[in-house]
Amino acid sequence: DADVTQTPRNRITKTGKRIMLECSQTKGHDRMYWYRQDPGLGLRLIYYSFDVKDINKGEISDGYSVSRQAQAKFSLSLESAIPNQTALYFCATSDSLGGYGYTFGSGTRLTVV
Amino acid sequence: EDQVTQSPEALRLQEGESSSLNCSYTVSGLRGLFWYRQDPGKGPEFLFTLYSAGEEKEKERLKATLTKKESFLHITAPKPEDSATYLCAVPSRSGGYQKVTFGTGTKLQVIP
């Protein structure tokens, strides 16, 4: 099994719909992150969590919310999806020292029509 | 504002033709620099962490180096399986939390 598992891998949804992306990890790390990747813009941080009770906004959190259900589970929700949220979404995890970088999931390709 | 700029955006090499990718950065309080490899349809895969100017790390045909303003990823005698997008990222501490700024990557294609 992969260290970081994201579901679904692909999703097409309509404008205005609520959608949840799920992430689970087996690394045993406390820190988890949600990023989105857009062509030409690189990876941008949406939300991050340093433990179950600590959730923080990243640079582009508007229109998104998260839930940290357990140390291993971190979900991202789009409350009312809009077309400019079409992107590749990645969940990642890291240890508290950060020296080994992030372990990323394989991503969710989300299309909002 | 922290910035990370990678060049070139795309690079096409013949198999065996060595070259270098560049990552220049301006960040407050540099805490290190990461290199990642990303294959199409997959998440980035961690390659190296460099912490201080003059440091070098190697893995197979890849060697990463760091100066006070930039990092280079040298690829020696590349093979087609080295084709991927290479990302660099710098963590810094600003606004009260640790933030990682990613570059937009260099897409490398190695032709047999």
Side-chain angles (χ1 to χ4, degrees), chain A residues 9 37 48 90 98-99 102 105, chain B residues 34 36 38 41 43 49 51 97 100:
Chain A
R9 287 299 312 276
Q37 188 175 41
Y48 65 101
F90 288 104
Y102 293 166
Chain B
F34 300 132
Y36 290 86
Q38 185 174 20
T49 304
Y51 288 104
Y97 61 88
V100 176

Side-chain angles (χ1 to χ4, degrees), chain A residues 34-110:
Chain A
W34 275 104
Y35 280 87
R36 67 177 277 176
Q37 188 175 41
D38 300 274
L41 293 178
L43 285 155
R44 293 180 291 166
L45 181 64
I46 306 172
Y47 271 93
Y48 65 101
S49 171
F50 282 178
D51 65 43
V52 174
K53 297 182 180 180
D54 178 57
I55 292 178
N56 303 278
K57 293 182 178 180
E59 60 183 306
I60 55 164
S61 59
D62 287 348
Y64 301 95
S65 63
V66 292
S67 174
R68 185 82 184 265
Q69 300 95 327
Q71 185 203 37
K73 295 183 182 295
F74 193 36
S75 60
L76 175 73
S77 293
L78 285 67
E79 299 301 326
S80 179
I82 57 177
N84 75 359
Q85 291 178 313
T86 293
L88 193 52
Y89 289 84
F90 288 104
C91 175
T93 182
S94 72
D95 63 22
S96 58
L97 297 176
Y100 293 100
Y102 293 166
T103 301
F104 283 87
S106 295
T108 294
R109 184 169 296 280
L110 177 66

Side-chain angles (χ1 to χ4, degrees), chain B residues 44-97:
Chain B
E45 177 185 355
F46 173 76
L47 291 173
F48 306 110
T49 304
L50 301 167
Y51 288 104
S52 57
E55 188 175 1
E56 299 182 352
K57 293 274 180 74
E58 288 189 59
K59 181 178 181 179
E60 296 181 357
R61 295 174 292 282
L62 301 176
K63 183 169 79 172
T65 62
L66 182 65
T67 72
K68 289 186 178 180
K69 296 289 186 183
E70 58 192 347
S71 178
F72 293 93
L73 185 65
H74 307 277
I75 303 175
T76 301
K79 298 182 178 182
E81 53 263 41
D82 295 321
S83 297
T85 296
Y86 291 86
L87 305 172
C88 71
V90 288
S92 66
R93 189 173 291 277
S94 62
Y97 61 88

